[in-house]
Amino acid sequence: MVTKLKTKISVTLLLVAVAILAVGVIGFGLSPIAPLMLVIGLIIVVARCFGVSWQASQKALLSGVSSGIAPLFLFLLIGSLIALWLATGVIPTMIWVGFKLLSPQLFLPTALLSTAIVGTLIGSAFTTLSTVGVALMGVGTLMGFDPALIAGTVLSGAIFGDKSSPLSDSTNLASAISETDLFAHIKNLMWTTLPALILSLVMTIILGFGHQTSGDATAKISRLLPLLAPTWWAIVPLGLLVITAWRKIPAIPALMINILISSIAFVTQHSLTAWADLLVNGFKTSSHNATLMALMNRGGMSA
């Protein structure tokens, strides 16, 4: 009994799968779940027709699902951390500092370099985007920058940091699979990642040059600053990120440690019921300021 399909059959199935997904999602506007289940069923049936046992197909299916559990768990932790950092004043402090220190002309290159440095220290693009990235999105939007431009900037920095960090799961995985020394792998990545970062830096400087915050944006920032209460507590969870990176702790336990410390800080002033609701449903500000609500109402596992 064979356990794998021949290359030609596999390629044909791949093309058919892409076609079904494209027609279903793009052509008919379906949810991806239905065409995806159809594709999985088709592959299993075709595989059985060419000698692959039901047991082998089931084993392969479960193996594929298991490889996605770690990223899924990481997303749940990131959602919880965002909610906790909002509720305990960490992200509001970062936004407040951003308003105070960053000028509109230097915002984009500063955002790029900040996320690149944090991504390198942490070794996780997801974590960088969900912490520093969230704060920078809030600051940049109110300064009048296009949200897509800000998102592209912070994503570029975070991805560079992820690829150049010896703590990155994907970088370690790639070097392990290719049986290459980790730092030799990172050094070779620099041939593509470093020119991309330099080009992105030049572009952000050009795009940021001459940018002036509009009067409406300035008024929004002026009204928003008194509503943001900076706290020295923010140093603790941010410092934890640096410490866990320095100790080479993987992303999932590093996030769980930060969530634990942030949860303790939250529970000292709120009930356990409020804490559980916060982790699942995210943070909701008590302010009725529309701008603040747009910035702060986010996070949670359900998001």
Side-chain angles (χ1 to χ4, degrees), residues 16-299:
V16 171
V18 171
I20 292 175
L21 289 171
V23 172
V25 176
I26 300 174
F28 292 95
L30 302 177
S31 167
I33 299 297
L36 190 61
M37 294 303 295
L38 176 61
V39 167
I40 293 174
L42 175 65
I43 291 174
I44 292 176
V45 171
V46 172
R48 184 67 189 91
C49 292
F50 283 92
V52 178
S53 67
W54 299 116
Q55 291 78 8
S57 293
Q58 176 175 289
K59 184 179 178 180
L61 181 62
L62 295 177
S63 176
V65 171
S66 65
S67 65
I69 290 177
L72 176 61
F73 192 55
L74 190 63
F75 283 135
L76 295 176
L77 293 178
I78 287 173
S80 301
L81 186 63
I82 290 175
L84 283 166
W85 275 23
L86 285 166
T88 56
V90 179
I91 291 179
T93 299
M94 295 166 67
I95 295 175
W96 184 87
V97 171
F99 285 143
K100 289 291 187 180
L101 298 182
L102 295 180
S103 67
Q105 290 76 20
L106 296 177
F107 171 75
L108 289 177
T110 302
L112 177 70
L113 294 176
S114 298
T115 49
I117 292 171
V118 173
T120 303
L121 287 172
I122 298 173
S124 170
F126 289 140
T127 308
T128 303
L129 292 171
S130 64
T131 53
V132 179
V134 170
L136 290 172
M137 281 294 295
V139 174
T141 302
L142 288 182
M143 284 185 175
F145 287 97
D146 188 327
L149 179 59
I150 308 168
T153 300
V154 298
L155 181 61
S156 298
I159 292 296
F160 172 83
D162 184 273
K163 295 306 175 188
S164 61
S165 174
L167 305 177
S168 169
D169 289 342
S170 59
T171 304
N172 277 276
L173 179 62
S175 64
I177 291 175
S178 60
E179 298 181 356
T180 305
D181 177 73
L182 174 61
F183 291 97
H185 173 63
I186 294 174
K187 182 179 178 180
N188 280 283
L189 283 175
M190 291 298 106
W191 287 102
T192 53
T193 55
L194 194 57
L197 179 69
I198 294 173
L199 181 60
S200 298
L201 181 61
V202 172
M203 290 301 298
T204 55
I205 293 173
I206 293 173
L207 292 171
F209 182 76
H211 178 84
Q212 297 293 332
T213 305
S214 65
D216 182 55
T218 303
K220 282 183 178 181
I221 294 173
S222 299
R223 292 193 300 267
L224 191 62
L225 279 176
L227 301 176
L228 295 171
T231 172
W232 288 104
W233 149 257
I235 297 175
V236 176
L238 291 173
L240 266 178
L241 282 181
V242 177
I243 292 172
T244 52
W246 178 64
R247 298 291 297 175
K248 298 182 179 180
I249 299 175
I252 288 179
L255 286 174
M256 294 189 73
I257 291 171
N258 214 306
I259 288 172
L260 176 62
I261 299 300
S262 300
S263 295
I264 293 173
F266 180 82
V267 171
T268 56
Q269 298 181 352
H270 301 83
S271 67
L272 288 174
T273 303
W275 169 77
D277 182 71
L278 176 71
L279 294 186
V280 176
N281 298 316
F283 178 76
K284 301 292 185 293
T285 179
S286 58
S287 172
H288 296 291
N289 182 286
T291 304
L292 191 65
M293 291 173 66
L295 284 175
M296 305 281 282
N297 290 353
R298 62 185 69 244

